[in-house]
Amino acid sequence: MTANREETEKRFLVPVVTPFNDDETVNYDALQRLVEDLLQQGADGVYACGSSAECFSMTEAERMKVLEAVLEAADGAFVVAHIGAIATGNSLRLARHAEKAGAGAISSVPPFYFKYSFDEIMQYYVDIADHSGLPMMAYNFPASTNTNFNVAQLVEILSYEKIKYMKFTDMDCFMLEQIKSRTGKFIYSGKDEIFLSALAAGADGAIGTSFNVMLGKYLKIYRLFLEGNMQMARAVQHSANEIVSVLCSTGLLESIKFLIGRKGIGCGHARKPFSRLTEESKRRLSEVVEREGFE
C-alpha cells in the first residue's frame, strides 16, 4: 500500500497554537490570522485542537468554536480536528461536530490517565472510526499519554481500514520504520528534533509544534532530502534543533507564543498553570532566533 496523490499533498500540517487574551479567553482574531499566515508560508494544512493548542485546558464548547474558526480561516485547506478525550462519548461528540463543521479528518491520542488496556484503547479507536464519516488519524505520544505501544500493537491500530494515518510523536525511528513497512499507511513524524531521521525511516510528512514559528526550515529540510543533499539537510536540521533546544528548556508553548509575537501576531500566554517566561528566557529565545533565523 502506498500513499495516494491526495495524501502526498498534505505532508506538512501545523498544530496551530491557541492565542489567548489577558483573561484567558480565546483570541479568535489572532487565531485566524495565524492560520492564514501559516498557510501562506507553505503549510499544506492545519492540525487543530491538539496538544499545541492546549486542548485539555479548554472546554468542549471552546474546542468546537476553535475548530470552526480554524476551518473558516483555512478556507478549504486540509484541517485535521483532534478530538481526543478520556471518555469515548466525549470524543464522539467532538468527532460528530468536526464532521458537521467540515474538517477533513479526525485524530486522537489514546485515552489516558486510567491506564487502559490495549484492547480498551483499540476499541476506543474502532468506536470513533466506525461512527464518523471522516478518516481517522491515530496518535502515538508515549511521553505525554504514558501509553507505550509495541510495534505489533501500532500495526494492529493502523491495520484497521478506517484509520488512514498516524501521528508518530516518538524518537524511536526503528519503530517508525517497522510500522511504515508493515502497513504502508501515511505516517506523520511528530518529533521536530528528528524530522530528517524520520524521513529516512519512512515518514511521509510531519506535524510539529515548532512549525508555528519556523515552518520554512522543515520545508527546506524536506526539499534537500528529496534532492539527496544530506549534508545541507543535516545543517538545517541542526539549526532548527538549536532553536528547539531553547524552546524546550524555557517552556515550549509559552516560548512558541512569545516568538509568534515577535513575528507580529500577539498570542498572549499559555493558560495557567503554565508559568510566564522570565526575562532571561526571553533573552535566550531572542538570541537563538537572531542567530539561526526563522528561515
Side-chain angles (χ1 to χ4, degrees), residues 85-87 110-122 124 142 144-149 153:
I86 294 176
F112 53 93
Y113 186 78
F114 290 113
K115 296 184 178 179
Y116 297 99
S117 69
F118 174 72
D119 287 344
E120 290 169 328
I121 293 170
M122 186 70 207
Y124 168 86
S144 287
T145 63
N146 200 30
T147 303
N148 293 290
F149 298 114
Q153 290 169 335

Side-chain angles (χ1 to χ4, degrees), residues 17 42 59 66 115 150 163 174 192 240 257 262 274 276 286:
V17 301
T59 66
V66 164
K115 296 184 178 179
N150 59 39
I163 298 177
F174 169 73
D192 305 359
K257 290 185 172 186
R262 278 179 51 108
F274 283 118
R276 304 291 184 255
S286 298

Side-chain angles (χ1 to χ4, degrees), residues 208-235:
T209 304
S210 67
F211 291 10
N212 280 277
V213 293
M214 52 177 175
L215 175 63
K217 286 189 183 293
Y218 298 97
L219 294 173
K220 187 173 183 178
I221 291 167
Y222 183 66
R223 175 176 58 79
L224 291 166
F225 174 79
L226 293 181
E227 293 171 354
N229 190 343
M230 298 303 292
Q231 182 176 357
M232 183 59 69
R234 284 195 299 271

Side-chain angles (χ1 to χ4, degrees), residues 88-113:
T88 302
N90 294 354
S91 294
L92 284 173
R93 281 194 298 274
L94 291 167
R96 285 191 287 267
H97 171 263
E99 185 174 2
K100 183 177 179 180
I106 54 174
S107 177
S108 178
V109 293
F112 53 93
Y113 186 78

Side-chain angles (χ1 to χ4, degrees), residues 80 86 107 128 151 160 208 217:
V80 178
I86 294 176
S107 177
I128 294 170
V151 170
Y160 195 68
K217 286 189 183 293

